[in-house]
Amino acid sequence: MHEASVVIARPQPCEQLVLIFHGVGSSAQDLAPLGRALAQACPGAAVVSVQAPYPSQLGRGQEWFSVIGVTEDNRPGRIAQVMPQFVQTIRHWQDVMGIDAQRTVLVGFSQGAIMSLEGTQTPELLAGKVIAMAGRFAQPVRQAPAGTQVHLIHGEQDGVVLPQWSVQAHQQIGALGGTATLDLLPGLGHGIDDRALQLAIRHLTSPERP
C-alpha cells in the first residue's frame, strides 16, 4: 500500500517528518498540493501524502474505514480494527526517513484527521504534533495525548463533521492536562482554504511547545 503514497519532499538530512492523511473517497494525490505548500514552508521536512489502504465504498478514492452505515456506536470499533495498520504506516515512514516519533507531524483532513486524533489515544507515542483539519475524535478523549501537541482547525460552516466536535475535543484535552489549540474559521465549510493552510504552516513551524 505504501507505493501509492506520494513522497513530496525528502531533504538530506531530514529534520522533521510530515505525514498527510486524506479524507474518505479521496487520495494521496488530492492532498499533494497541500503537501507541496507545507514542504515549501518547512524545507527541512520530509513530506509524504499517505494513501489510505482500502477502496472507498463511496465509489471513488480510498478510505481507512467505511462510512456506509456509520454511527456513533460503531465508529470506534471500525477505527480500532484499522488502527494497527495506521500505526504500522506511520512507523514505516519514520523508518524510511530515519525520523523518530517526537519529530513527526501528522496532518489529517476529515477521516485522516479522525485517524490522526484517535492515534493519540494509543499506548505508544506516534507523533510530536497532530494538525487536525475538519476532524473529530470517534469518542470522548480518554487520555491526555502525552508528548503530542494537538492543533484543531475547523470551518464554522462544516456540515459534514460539525465544528462542535473540535470544540469538545479542545475542552476535553485541556481538562485532562493535554496541550491543544483550536481555530474556528468563519464561512468555511468542509474543506481547506488559505486560512487553514496558513494555520497549518504556523503550527508546523512553531516550537515544540506553544
Side-chain angles (χ1 to χ4, degrees), residues 36-135:
R36 288 192 289 270
L38 296 179
Q40 184 176 8
C42 194
V47 180
V48 181
S49 185
V50 177
Q51 181 95 329
Y54 304 112
S56 171
Q57 294 185 23
L58 296 178
R60 66 172 296 273
Q62 300 290 117
E63 66 187 16
W64 284 95
F65 62 91
S66 174
V67 297
I68 302 298
V70 72
T71 66
E72 292 300 306
D73 290 333
N74 65 29
R75 183 183 289 105
R78 296 185 185 191
I79 293 172
Q81 187 173 7
V82 297
M83 185 55 69
Q85 191 170 4
F86 183 74
V87 172
Q88 189 279 330
T89 298
I90 294 170
R91 297 302 187 212
H92 167 80
W93 288 111
Q94 288 171 340
D95 290 343
V96 168
M97 300 300 180
I99 296 292
D100 60 18
Q102 190 58 50
R103 293 184 294 154
T104 299
V105 181
L106 310 183
V107 180
F109 172 72
S110 194
Q111 190 177 90
I114 294 172
M115 293 300 301
S116 299
L117 288 170
E118 282 295 319
T120 69
Q121 302 298 286
T122 61
E124 53 189 315
L125 179 68
L126 299 181
K129 294 180 185 179
V130 169
I131 301 173
M133 295 183 281

